[in-house]
Amino acid sequence: MLSRVLIGITGGIAAYKVCEVISTLFKQGVEVRVMLTKSAREFITPLSVATLSRHQAYTDEDFWQSTNSRPLHIELGEWADILVIAPLTANTLAKLAYGMADNLLTNTVLASKCPILIAPAMNTDMWEQIAVQRNWQMLLADTRYHGMGTASGLLACDRVGKGRMAEPLEIVTYIQSLLYTQGKRDLLGKRILISTGGTREFLDPVRFIGNPSTGKMGLALAQAALHRGANVTLVYGVADWEAPVEVKAVPVVSAEEMRTAMLGELGNADIIIMSAAVADVKPRDFSTEKLAKKALPESLPLEVVIDIIAEIGNSKQAHQKLIGFAAQTGDIVTPALEKLQRKNLDGIVANPIDKENSGFGSDRNQAIYLDKQGNRLEIPLCSKLEMAHYIFDFLGSSS
């Protein structure tokens, strides 16, 4: 059965960004229906979203002049698996906070029971108004609503500050999570600490020992945990992506920097997931100036990097769960089980890096999850976000 996403667009300049959300969802095989408020039509046309969604776009004229046997807002509210409102303006935010219903969108909200994803966008001064923040908190207190924070940057009014709507890819990712979880917040109140990405161990200012990790798996874990209600801290190596604004993001470069950051955050965590590809060795000597090619040693003296996950395994508290990753070729289970025992882990994700469309750099992954109780979960080839949800499902079932 196809997933069904109903999108409500309100009157903000960020409305044009929602076209990418609609197009991406359609390409992923999602059924999409779109509603536009009267103000939204000042920024984007019904024809544009109808073309992208391959379905009629609904406006207030359809609401008031509907000749359907059943009211349109009732049909749409019952049809949707997920309702998305983006951009969410201050005006519509206020209506939703107080349960008002004076157009097709707000009536459909009240006639629906599905999870609602809201992505606000407005001028910084508007966003920071006491009344707006009060309305925002009122909505978030309703468990149906899942809010995306506003980002900082250059706004359409030329102001630089908070108020930018979340980017289309972030919205699509959140929708994917909600379609998977149906809006459950089983990690609400949990504090999750995640490491991801590769570390770089420098020989001189331009040369280093590293690996091809992109940190995408850890990012997916952070997104999935956030979407399920957790407070997330993400310690990450050099990456070409940005962490969600709601996540506490700690960028690092070397293994020592990652160790310092992880140990500094450890006391606040309930679940620690070490998905980072941390260096095992580093150059023994570091030159503060670039070495000439002729000055490079014929053999490079190395020294062992401290094992961060083993150190955490030896110092974690009784209430804390520590999950590791084992990127392997060939037999992935035997070395993963050995690592699970030797490093005092509660669980380990063994993933093959020698199979197509999985492992380093890929948007997809597959794995076998093993825990210290002897439980085993085989995760089929899927998106890294879906794999992250598999992991959290398994963690919850084995608690």
Side-chain angles (χ1 to χ4, degrees), residues 97-317:
Y98 287 93
M100 297 175 63
D102 64 348
N103 59 16
L104 175 60
L105 173 57
T106 51
N107 273 273
T108 302
V109 167
L110 295 185
S112 65
K113 293 184 178 180
C114 63
I116 302 174
L117 178 63
I118 47 178
M122 63 194 75
N123 164 269
T124 303
D125 291 330
M126 294 174 68
W127 175 245
E128 293 177 348
Q129 288 291 329
I130 293 174
V132 171
Q133 287 302 307
R134 180 191 64 229
N135 293 342
W136 177 247
Q137 293 304 321
M138 285 173 64
L139 269 196
L140 295 185
D142 184 335
T143 56
R144 285 188 66 199
Y145 287 95
H146 298 257
M148 302 191 73
T150 59
S152 296
L154 178 64
L155 307 179
C157 59
D158 291 331
R159 174 76 180 271
V160 176
K162 295 200 71 174
R164 287 176 59 92
M165 188 180 78
E167 293 303 316
L169 181 57
E170 293 178 286
I171 295 174
V172 169
T173 300
Y174 211 136
I175 292 170
Q176 291 169 337
S177 281
L178 291 176
L179 289 172
Y180 182 97
T181 65
Q182 293 300 299
K184 68 180 178 182
R185 287 189 173 92
D186 54 337
L187 295 179
L188 190 64
K190 293 291 186 182
R191 300 164 298 176
I192 299 182
L193 172 62
I194 301 168
S195 74
T196 196
T199 60
R200 296 180 176 183
E201 308 303 326
F202 282 85
L203 171 65
D204 65 16
V206 298
R207 300 181 181 94
F208 61 86
I209 296 174
N211 59 63
S213 174
T214 59
K216 289 180 179 179
M217 189 65 241
L219 173 61
L221 285 161
Q223 291 167 328
L226 179 69
H227 300 162
R228 295 168 82 135
N231 295 315
V232 181
T233 298
L234 182 64
V235 178
Y236 63 98
V238 179
D240 62 359
W241 42 260
E242 293 184 7
V245 294
E246 301 92 343
V247 164
K248 180 179 180 180
V250 184
V252 298
V253 176
S254 68
E256 184 56 39
E257 289 178 358
M258 182 167 285
R259 173 180 178 268
T260 299
M262 291 296 292
L263 294 180
E265 299 289 342
L266 183 60
N268 297 321
D270 299 305
I271 300 172
I272 307 102
I273 304 178
M274 284 288 297
S275 66
V278 185
D280 296 307
V281 294
K282 65 179 181 179
R284 187 187 65 193
D285 304 310
F286 173 73
S287 172
T288 57
E289 296 183 356
K290 180 185 175 182
L291 296 171
K293 189 173 182 179
K294 62 183 180 181
L296 293 173
E298 292 186 5
S299 60
L300 184 63
L302 301 174
E303 62 182 33
V304 175
V305 172
I306 191 165
D307 192 330
I308 302 173
I309 194 168
E311 187 174 4
I312 294 175
N314 290 329
S315 60
K316 67 184 178 76
Q317 302 300 307

Side-chain angles (χ1 to χ4, degrees), residues 2-48:
L2 292 176
S3 298
R4 298 172 299 196
V5 175
L6 179 61
I7 298 177
I9 303 176
T10 69
I13 187 62
Y16 78 93
K17 291 184 177 182
V18 185
C19 289
E20 185 176 344
V21 175
I22 298 167
S23 178
T24 302
L25 289 173
F26 178 82
K27 291 174 183 177
Q28 292 176 348
V30 176
E31 276 194 88
V32 184
R33 303 286 183 267
V34 185
M35 301 177 288
L36 297 98
T37 65
K38 181 180 179 181
S39 296
R41 296 174 65 179
E42 299 293 327
F43 297 92
I44 190 170
T45 67
L47 177 60
S48 297

